[in-house]
Amino acid sequence: MGEFTHFNNRGEAVMVDVSEKKQTVREAIAAGTITMSRACFLKLAEGGMGKGDVLGVARIAGIMGAKKTSELIPLCHVLNLSKVELEFFLLEQECAVKAVCTVRTVGKTGVEMEALTGVSTALLTIYDMCKAVDKSMEIGNICLEKKTGGKSGIYQRQMESGEQ
Amino acid sequence: MGEFTHFNNRGEAVMVDVSEKKQTVREAIAAGTITMSRACFLKLAEGGMGKGDVLGVARIAGIMGAKKTSELIPLCHVLNLSKVELEFFLLEQECAVKAVCTVRTVGKTGVEMEALTGVSTALLTIYDMCKAVDKSMEIGNICLEKKTGGKSGIYQRQMESGEQ
Amino acid sequence: MGEFTHFNNRGEAVMVDVSEKKQTVREAIAAGTITMSRACFLKLAEGGMGKGDVLGVARIAGIMGAKKTSELIPLCHVLNLSKVELEFFLLEQECAVKAVCTVRTVGKTGVEMEALTGVSTALLTIYDMCKAVDKSMEIGNICLEKKTGGKSGIYQRQMESGEQ
Amino acid sequence: MGEFTHFNNRGEAVMVDVSEKKQTVREAIAAGTITMSRACFLKLAEGGMGKGDVLGVARIAGIMGAKKTSELIPLCHVLNLSKVELEFFLLEQECAVKAVCTVRTVGKTGVEMEALTGVSTALLTIYDMCKAVDKSMEIGNICLEKKTGGKSGIYQRQMESGEQ
Amino acid sequence: MGEFTHFNNRGEAVMVDVSEKKQTVREAIAAGTITMSRACFLKLAEGGMGKGDVLGVARIAGIMGAKKTSELIPLCHVLNLSKVELEFFLLEQECAVKAVCTVRTVGKTGVEMEALTGVSTALLTIYDMCKAVDKSMEIGNICLEKKTGGKSGIYQRQMESGEQ
Amino acid sequence: MGEFTHFNNRGEAVMVDVSEKKQTVREAIAAGTITMSRACFLKLAEGGMGKGDVLGVARIAGIMGAKKTSELIPLCHVLNLSKVELEFFLLEQECAVKAVCTVRTVGKTGVEMEALTGVSTALLTIYDMCKAVDKSMEIGNICLEKKTGGKSGIYQRQMESGEQ
């Protein structure tokens, strides 16, 4: 098992040295959901029909949020992202929106945090735009789905039984 | 039931006019959790004992994140927060950390988004600092616990049965 | 005629003291246009029909840009904007998009720069999203249309003959 | 004729993938003007003589603005600019200031937006510093003058007859 | 003697609650110096004569830096500064530049940190612009000179004997 | 002796062209101190024992500050830092804390300003957290200790006699 890498041997936080690491293509895919009341979900789903495009705004927020990752997460390296994409899926049965964020870079560190930050910012923006209708919404299931590139190689999240 | 308030009557996104709203004391409390493997949880719990204070870093990130809310959430008003506090609870049985963020302001709009952004940023920072040990961590249960002040008055989240 | 107010009597730039000014409701409306080839204009106009909503993205960029004014314009005071709205008008004959930004605050200084920055950011975003089709687009006619509130009172731009 | 490149095939905004593009030297030159009353223009022109250096402040704002492009324009990639220069020309007959911004990078995407944002920020700053004297100033003629590097090669703006 | 106010009774960092504090006019004056070689000092002093205005650039950087204080200092409250002024004094004998930053606000907390951040940013900018000539420059004597307003009242730094 | 490099031959500020410079590993180490009353120093020193970790917060602030250098210093290039580390030394006799910041990158320009900004931000944060106990603290001795990489080669600060 690995060790926490963001501390030096005195237990002090440090932005670790990646000078010697290779520049490779790295990709990460993260996902998460926001669950809401049926009434709120139906209103949001209508948005695509010209009544107010919640997901269009959340998509822009998520992309811009991914670019801000190194300002938000103290020990993250600054990375020049070469791609950010956000997809949304309406989960009708659960009255939920699933956000999936794909980030790519050519760099020395992975982009897991950028994909996770993109997802989180998009879901928070949905919350903001829907909160006048439903304050009890819940954001959850935020996790790394997949990661490629870099020394640690491929990571693929195990699907839980019954998971979508 | 309310309507989405972030769109005008043409369905276009707008930062709504709050000029005429009263300045009152407003508070919001949001919470969320990050669940991890037992091995990772034990390492994190040790941190308080001088081996690398993950939660200390996450607390600062969460406070600074709450102050950045209006930069992240497109239609949020800029607010001068008068208090931000982040508490962490180690949930040993679930191998999870619960983050609770309390935000207060004297202003014209509520601080729900600031509390939720504080929680999210703190949890993402924990993910970042622990991901060398466990990449399968999951962030969830992010929700508004309570809100006071403003015209819409008090909101208190219903405790689900079995919830902590 | 007035004097430049952003310099002290030694000719040095200064963020002027507004401590003693009154908090009043202030509003500013600014406008500007981007002119493009007919082919580009038609593509953009189609966007509303689901093929890529250029103006939806530009609206969000303009609102967020207005909130960033004091970071961009060195001697601008930080203001908590209470409203930002961006409207777009398709000028078919000129193959142009007109952007109009309305900003309101309750504060000690006017919001002219915020409205102008909102317009500029929105138009730059349109340029960015259309530049693969037409690089010869031109941004122009950026000006203050109207301003109310504050000691200097109402300003209303004189309509030029033949102006829309 | 090209297509809008900032949307995927579902018409959703995306920060497009440039992972596979080559790093080459890229340069862009953008220009724009601000036109003002004669009285205001004369005051500004005097500034160089120690009475308040409007253009010195605008130059710094423009350079810093160019560096902020990817924060302002939602789908712009983050680029490490290797050069930013801002020149101003006093157009006495028109009572206008022309700003020209040259940006260079070694990267995977062009720097048109950075040059245009540098020009816009500089002109907005001039507006801010002169608005106590003249509120009817107009910003215009913002366009890309030239661009080199990258797959699409050289772009050179056609001089209109009678244009400076 | 007081206690550290940025920790709660569990020793955790917190942005302290100022909701109940009164809005009063608050001012702070901070100062600091940068000392350099005589050759470098003479070059810098010439700058006012059109050869490159180091202090003009540093003044803008200091003003903008003061506005960014709450982004840099984790537990600082966001404040809408109502005045920022930076003065420079050439100390010929010491081959030093003294920077003095005056900040004012009408708010619930003092502006000591804003004045100190303005001074620091201005001095760092001088370092940046002169470092090709002298890398051994030293920044020092950064301290709070005076503070008025707020419950703790007036603070005036004791002049040390022999101090300027 | 060198010349100021941040001005063109008209004496205008410019972000200089580094397109043709080589990417090499570059490192810079900067240091500085904050001196305080004995009472304040003792309280701060206790912090490590669970009563409020001033240095832990200052470390995070310094690391994040170093990443923000190009936003604060007008003519600094944006650099993707590959390492940032902050160490603190308690100087008991002087009642001072010495901060040392080490920054590394693989890039076209040096990281002196990043190391100096990291030190300054850390020391300002210590001031902020201790100012309720002692307002007369002084920040000083901020200088570049060492720099390697790049065309200008190694710089090593001369130790003054009696210096630590």
Side-chain angles (χ1 to χ4, degrees):
Chain A
M1 191 186 65
E3 292 292 323
F4 290 168
T5 50
H6 289 43
F7 297 105
N8 62 18
N9 52 22
R10 288 183 301 279
E12 299 163 357
V14 64
M15 199 174 100
V16 294
D17 193 359
V18 298
S19 311
E20 303 307 322
K21 291 179 82 172
K22 279 204 199 121
Q23 290 236 351
T24 60
V25 178
R26 290 151 191 273
E27 189 180 85
I29 303 173
T33 57
I34 182 166
T35 309
M36 54 190 75
S37 69
R38 179 146 298 270
C40 187
F41 181 78
L42 292 175
K43 261 188 198 298
L44 179 144
E46 267 176 8
M49 289 166 273
K51 301 219 180 156
D53 184 9
V54 170
L55 299 184
V57 178
R59 182 177 288 113
I60 298 302
I63 292 172
M64 296 179 87
K67 290 197 276 183
K68 275 184 169 302
T69 303
S70 66
E71 291 181 55
L72 289 169
I73 312 299
L75 305 175
C76 255
H77 293 83
V78 179
L79 280 174
N80 297 2
L81 307 184
S82 54
K83 174 192 173 173
V84 185
E85 184 161 23
L86 257 159
E87 289 174 285
F88 295 109
F89 301 94
L90 297 179
L91 309 181
E92 236 194 287
Q93 225 164 345
E94 301 92 326
C95 293
V97 181
K98 181 176 182 176
V100 177
C101 183
T102 305
V103 177
R104 198 178 283 183
T105 198
V106 182
K108 289 162 180 271
T109 64
V111 286
E112 298 97 305
M113 293 317 302
E114 283 75 8
L116 288 161
T117 302
V119 161
S120 295
T121 309
L123 296 174
L124 287 167
T125 301
I126 296 175
Y127 188 101
D128 182 44
M129 301 190 77
C130 297
K131 71 177 189 291
V133 172
D134 181 6
K135 280 182 181 48
S136 67
M137 287 172 287
E138 189 174 317
I139 293 173
N141 307 312
I142 298 179
C143 60
L144 181 65
E145 299 257 305
K146 193 180 171 183
K147 158 194 180 303
T148 59
K151 215 178 64 183
S152 72
I154 295 176
Y155 167 82
Q156 170 86 51
R157 186 176 175 78
Q158 231 73 36
M159 192 82 86
E160 287 173 45
S161 61
E163 207 177 344
Q164 189 143 27
Chain B
M1 192 185 64
E3 293 291 323
F4 289 170
T5 50
H6 289 44
F7 298 106
N8 62 17
N9 52 22
R10 287 183 302 279
E12 299 164 357
V14 64
M15 199 174 99
V16 293
D17 193 357
V18 298
S19 312
E20 304 305 325
K21 292 179 83 172
K22 280 204 199 121
Q23 290 236 352
T24 60
V25 177
R26 290 150 191 274
E27 190 179 82
I29 303 173
T33 57
I34 182 165
T35 309
M36 55 191 73
S37 68
R38 178 146 299 269
C40 188
F41 181 79
L42 292 175
K43 261 188 197 296
L44 179 144
E46 268 176 6
M49 287 166 272
K51 301 221 178 156
D53 185 9
V54 170
L55 300 184
V57 178
R59 182 176 289 115
I60 297 303
I63 292 172
M64 295 179 87
K67 290 198 275 183
K68 274 184 169 305
T69 303
S70 67
E71 290 181 52
L72 289 169
I73 311 298
L75 304 175
C76 256
H77 293 83
V78 179
L79 280 174
N80 296 4
L81 307 184
S82 54
K83 175 192 173 174
V84 185
E85 184 158 24
L86 259 159
E87 290 173 285
F88 296 109
F89 301 93
L90 297 180
L91 309 181
E92 236 194 287
Q93 223 164 347
E94 300 93 324
C95 293
V97 181
K98 182 176 182 177
V100 178
C101 183
T102 305
V103 177
R104 198 177 283 183
T105 198
V106 182
K108 291 162 179 271
T109 64
V111 285
E112 297 97 305
M113 293 318 301
E114 283 75 9
L116 288 161
T117 302
V119 161
S120 295
T121 310
L123 295 173
L124 287 167
T125 300
I126 295 175
Y127 189 101
D128 182 44
M129 301 190 78
C130 297
K131 70 178 190 291
V133 172
D134 181 6
K135 280 181 179 51
S136 68
M137 287 171 287
E138 188 174 318
I139 294 173
N141 308 312
I142 298 178
C143 59
L144 181 66
E145 300 257 303
K146 193 179 171 184
K147 158 194 178 303
T148 59
K151 216 178 64 183
S152 72
I154 295 175
Y155 166 82
Q156 171 84 51
R157 186 175 176 80
Q158 230 73 39
M159 192 82 86
E160 288 172 45
S161 60
E163 207 177 344
Q164 186 140 29
Chain C
M1 191 185 65
E3 293 291 324
F4 290 168
T5 49
H6 288 43
F7 298 105
N8 63 16
N9 53 21
R10 288 183 301 280
E12 299 163 359
V14 65
M15 200 175 99
V16 293
D17 193 358
V18 298
S19 311
E20 304 306 321
K21 291 179 83 172
K22 280 204 198 118
Q23 290 236 354
T24 60
V25 178
R26 291 149 191 275
E27 189 181 83
I29 303 172
T33 56
I34 182 165
T35 308
M36 54 191 75
S37 69
R38 179 148 297 272
C40 188
F41 181 78
L42 292 175
K43 259 187 199 299
L44 178 143
E46 267 176 8
M49 289 165 273
K51 300 218 179 158
D53 184 10
V54 170
L55 300 185
V57 178
R59 181 176 289 113
I60 297 304
I63 292 172
M64 296 179 86
K67 290 197 276 183
K68 275 183 169 304
T69 302
S70 67
E71 289 182 54
L72 289 168
I73 312 298
L75 304 176
C76 256
H77 293 83
V78 179
L79 280 174
N80 296 3
L81 306 184
S82 54
K83 174 194 173 171
V84 185
E85 184 160 25
L86 258 159
E87 290 174 285
F88 295 110
F89 301 94
L90 297 179
L91 308 181
E92 237 195 285
Q93 224 164 347
E94 300 92 325
C95 292
V97 181
K98 181 175 182 176
V100 178
C101 183
T102 305
V103 177
R104 198 177 283 182
T105 199
V106 182
K108 290 163 180 271
T109 64
V111 284
E112 297 97 305
M113 293 318 302
E114 282 75 8
L116 288 160
T117 303
V119 161
S120 294
T121 310
L123 295 173
L124 288 167
T125 301
I126 295 175
Y127 188 101
D128 182 44
M129 300 191 77
C130 297
K131 71 180 190 291
V133 172
D134 180 7
K135 280 183 180 50
S136 68
M137 287 172 288
E138 188 174 318
I139 293 173
N141 307 313
I142 298 178
C143 60
L144 181 65
E145 299 257 304
K146 193 179 171 183
K147 158 195 179 300
T148 59
K151 214 177 67 183
S152 73
I154 295 176
Y155 166 83
Q156 170 84 52
R157 187 175 174 80
Q158 231 73 39
M159 192 80 87
E160 288 173 45
S161 60
E163 206 178 346
Q164 189 142 25
Chain D
M1 191 185 67
E3 293 292 324
F4 290 169
T5 49
H6 288 42
F7 297 105
N8 62 17
N9 52 22
R10 288 183 301 279
E12 299 163 358
V14 65
M15 200 175 99
V16 293
D17 192 359
V18 298
S19 311
E20 303 306 322
K21 292 180 81 172
K22 280 203 199 121
Q23 290 237 353
T24 61
V25 178
R26 291 151 191 274
E27 189 180 84
I29 303 174
T33 57
I34 182 166
T35 309
M36 54 190 76
S37 69
R38 179 147 299 272
C40 188
F41 181 79
L42 293 176
K43 260 188 198 298
L44 179 144
E46 267 176 8
M49 289 165 275
K51 301 219 180 158
D53 184 10
V54 170
L55 300 184
V57 178
R59 182 175 289 113
I60 298 304
I63 292 171
M64 296 178 87
K67 288 196 277 182
K68 275 183 169 304
T69 302
S70 67
E71 289 182 54
L72 290 169
I73 311 298
L75 304 175
C76 256
H77 292 82
V78 178
L79 281 173
N80 295 3
L81 306 184
S82 54
K83 174 193 173 171
V84 185
E85 184 159 26
L86 257 159
E87 291 174 285
F88 295 110
F89 302 93
L90 296 179
L91 309 181
E92 236 194 287
Q93 224 164 348
E94 300 93 325
C95 293
V97 181
K98 181 175 183 177
V100 178
C101 183
T102 304
V103 178
R104 198 176 285 182
T105 198
V106 182
K108 289 162 179 273
T109 64
V111 284
E112 298 96 305
M113 293 317 302
E114 283 74 7
L116 289 161
T117 302
V119 161
S120 294
T121 309
L123 295 173
L124 288 168
T125 300
I126 294 175
Y127 188 101
D128 183 43
M129 301 190 77
C130 297
K131 71 178 189 292
V133 172
D134 180 6
K135 280 182 180 50
S136 67
M137 287 172 287
E138 189 174 317
I139 294 173
N141 307 312
I142 298 178
C143 59
L144 181 65
E145 300 256 305
K146 193 178 170 182
K147 157 195 180 302
T148 59
K151 214 178 66 183
S152 71
I154 295 176
Y155 167 83
Q156 170 85 52
R157 187 176 175 80
Q158 231 73 39
M159 192 79 89
E160 288 173 44
S161 60
E163 205 177 344
Q164 189 140 27
Chain E
M1 193 185 62
E3 293 291 324
F4 290 169
T5 50
H6 289 43
F7 297 105
N8 62 17
N9 51 23
R10 287 183 302 279
E12 300 163 358
V14 65
M15 199 175 99
V16 293
D17 192 358
V18 298
S19 311
E20 304 305 324
K21 292 179 82 172
K22 281 205 198 118
Q23 290 236 352
T24 60
V25 177
R26 290 151 190 275
E27 190 180 82
I29 303 173
T33 57
I34 182 165
T35 307
M36 54 190 76
S37 69
R38 179 147 299 271
C40 187
F41 181 79
L42 292 175
K43 260 189 197 299
L44 178 144
E46 267 176 7
M49 288 166 272
K51 301 220 180 157
D53 184 10
V54 170
L55 300 185
V57 178
R59 182 176 287 114
I60 298 303
I63 292 172
M64 295 179 88
K67 290 197 276 182
K68 275 184 169 303
T69 303
S70 66
E71 290 182 53
L72 290 168
I73 313 298
L75 304 176
C76 255
H77 292 83
V78 179
L79 280 174
N80 296 3
L81 307 184
S82 54
K83 174 191 173 173
V84 185
E85 184 159 23
L86 258 158
E87 289 174 286
F88 296 109
F89 301 94
L90 297 179
L91 309 182
E92 236 194 290
Q93 224 164 346
E94 299 93 324
C95 293
V97 181
K98 181 175 182 178
V100 178
C101 183
T102 305
V103 177
R104 198 176 284 183
T105 199
V106 183
K108 288 161 182 273
T109 65
V111 285
E112 297 96 306
M113 293 317 301
E114 282 76 7
L116 288 161
T117 302
V119 161
S120 295
T121 310
L123 295 174
L124 288 168
T125 301
I126 294 175
Y127 188 101
D128 182 44
M129 301 191 77
C130 297
K131 71 179 189 292
V133 173
D134 180 7
K135 280 183 182 47
S136 67
M137 288 172 287
E138 189 175 316
I139 294 173
N141 308 312
I142 298 179
C143 61
L144 181 66
E145 300 256 304
K146 193 178 171 183
K147 160 193 177 304
T148 59
K151 215 178 64 181
S152 72
I154 295 175
Y155 167 83
Q156 170 85 52
R157 187 176 175 78
Q158 231 73 38
M159 191 81 87
E160 287 172 45
S161 61
E163 207 178 346
Q164 189 139 28
Chain F
M1 193 186 65
E3 294 291 323
F4 289 168
T5 49
H6 288 45
F7 297 105
N8 62 17
N9 52 22
R10 288 183 302 279
E12 298 163 358
V14 65
M15 200 175 98
V16 293
D17 192 358
V18 298
S19 312
E20 304 305 323
K21 291 178 82 172
K22 281 205 199 118
Q23 291 236 352
T24 59
V25 178
R26 291 150 191 274
E27 189 180 83
I29 302 173
T33 57
I34 182 165
T35 309
M36 54 190 76
S37 68
R38 180 147 298 271
C40 187
F41 181 79
L42 292 175
K43 262 188 195 297
L44 179 143
E46 268 176 8
M49 289 165 273
K51 301 221 180 156
D53 184 9
V54 170
L55 300 183
V57 178
R59 183 176 288 113
I60 298 303
I63 292 171
M64 295 178 88
K67 290 197 276 182
K68 274 185 170 302
T69 303
S70 66
E71 290 182 53
L72 289 169
I73 312 299
L75 304 175
C76 256
H77 293 83
V78 179
L79 281 173
N80 296 3
L81 307 184
S82 54
K83 174 192 172 173
V84 185
E85 184 160 24
L86 259 159
E87 289 173 286
F88 296 109
F89 301 94
L90 297 180
L91 309 181
E92 236 195 287
Q93 222 164 347
E94 300 93 324
C95 293
V97 181
K98 181 175 183 178
V100 177
C101 183
T102 304
V103 177
R104 198 177 284 183
T105 198
V106 182
K108 290 162 180 272
T109 65
V111 286
E112 298 96 305
M113 293 317 302
E114 283 74 9
L116 288 161
T117 302
V119 161
S120 295
T121 309
L123 295 174
L124 287 167
T125 301
I126 295 176
Y127 189 101
D128 182 43
M129 300 190 78
C130 297
K131 70 178 190 291
V133 173
D134 181 7
K135 280 181 179 51
S136 67
M137 287 171 287
E138 189 174 315
I139 294 173
N141 306 314
I142 298 178
C143 60
L144 181 66
E145 300 258 303
K146 193 179 171 183
K147 156 194 181 302
T148 59
K151 215 177 64 182
S152 72
I154 295 176
Y155 166 83
Q156 170 84 52
R157 186 176 176 80
Q158 231 72 40
M159 190 81 86
E160 287 172 47
S161 61
E163 207 177 345
Q164 187 142 27

